[in-house]
Amino acid sequence: MNLPALRGHNDALVLELLRGAGPAGLGRTELAARTGLTPQAVSKITARLGADGLVAEAGRAASTGGKPRTLLRLVPDVRHAVGVHLDRDALRAVRVDLAGRVVAESGGPLDFAAGPEAAVEAVVRAVARVGAHAGPPLVGVGVAAPGPLDHRAGVMGRVTGFPSWKGFPLKGVLEGRLGLPVLLDKDTNAGAAAAAGAWLRATWPEAGADADAGAAPAAAAGFGAGAGARRGAVDVGPGVGVGVGAVGDVLVGGAPRTCVYLHVGTGLGAGLWLGGGVYRGARSAAGEFGHQVLLLDGPPCRCGARGCVEVLCLEAVARGDLPAAARIVGEAAANLVALLDVDRVLLGGRVVAAAPDVFVAGVGAVLAARALDPARPVVALAGAGVAEGAAEMALAPLFGRG
């Protein structure tokens, strides 16, 4: 038996549960019940995590007749991660704490066509900028880039329109330059991970809701209301809100929820959140949403086919017809919903950000018209950006997620 690996696995289980509980925290008895570990094992784990600064007391639960339980919480500011979004014409980097809250960000133009070496230099500079201030150590860097790519090997694939990227070992090169673990994934998968992180923060109860007056407040715990730690309606973007009850069992409690994240920017793609995690497929090729054919013998797409969703949508955007672009995305999304039976369709990317109400309404109208089941999925804006999702992926190993 590999005892160090087992210890790391059990530590990650506890950290994941405490992260899901937010600033209000959990008691050791609850941790034991949810992990299946013995109370003695949980006490040893939390003592070890406390010594490392990862866990602290959140106060005491209201007494039910006996001694009030001590609640424990994750300490968000003890470690950070960086997420980088490499788009075809821009780069954005964020530094986040363990709760996924952005503490620093940087962005600027990027010429993806200039080739991998120039992009590597841009990433190194961006990581240096967001990490320039004195702060806790970084656990790693997540990089989100256009696909296709090999997530496991960290190697870029044949990105449409950018042949110089094929076969470039981006993960290995960046690890050599940065001296940190690097995770490479598609931008759409990072978008799905960002949405999941936003859902998680939306389910947090307020600090002190179950604790006495001596409990640490949310702000002191490092979990701000801006991260979604509040009750009632959860703001996931301009003009869009969802109730906590609708998202409360996405990542904690109940069966895992499913969603598709649709990214509309310089290209179109999808990230799939299925069975409680990002679904990448056997070859990291899942989610090529933009290259399903909607119009036989339609306009040529840069992938070599004709009538793809991407070319139809971007042509509508170019002529300023955003309602038409939204309807095109909606038709393609309806195909995906019928195939996968997902709970939620989340929209992101710069084109959506420019007209969020148009896209939420347009995609929602098509899904409603084509619904085969009265319980059709909710359409909403993604709660965070692709760079945030890349950082979420960099944090994943700490919480026992790959």
Side-chain angles (χ1 to χ4, degrees), residues 108-269:
L110 175 75
D111 183 4
F112 201 74
E117 291 78 11
V120 165
E121 296 303 322
V123 171
V124 171
R125 290 193 298 269
V127 173
R129 283 195 297 271
V130 296
H133 71 288
L138 297 176
V139 300
V141 176
V143 177
L149 54 80
D150 187 330
H151 161 74
R152 295 174 183 85
V155 175
M156 297 293 293
R158 185 178 63 86
V159 182
T160 304
F162 303 94
S164 66
W165 280 87
K166 184 178 180 180
F168 185 76
L170 184 58
K171 168 184 162 71
V173 171
L174 284 174
E175 285 183 334
R177 292 293 305 275
L178 297 171
L180 290 165
V182 172
L183 184 144
L184 174 67
D185 212 335
K186 292 200 300 184
D187 47 12
T188 50
N189 289 341
W199 287 346
L200 175 64
R201 290 187 293 277
T203 67
W204 287 341
E206 292 185 43
D210 298 312
D212 63 17
F223 298 85
R230 62 188 185 277
R231 298 187 183 277
V234 178
D235 185 14
V236 293
V240 181
V242 293
V244 167
V247 299
D249 58 350
V250 172
L251 294 177
V252 286
R257 293 289 185 169
T258 59
C259 85
V260 293
Y261 166 78
L262 304 181
H263 187 87
V264 188
T266 54
L268 269 71

Side-chain angles (χ1 to χ4, degrees), residues 5 64 85 113 125 260 392:
T64 57
H85 180 196
R125 290 193 298 269
V260 293
E392 190 74 29

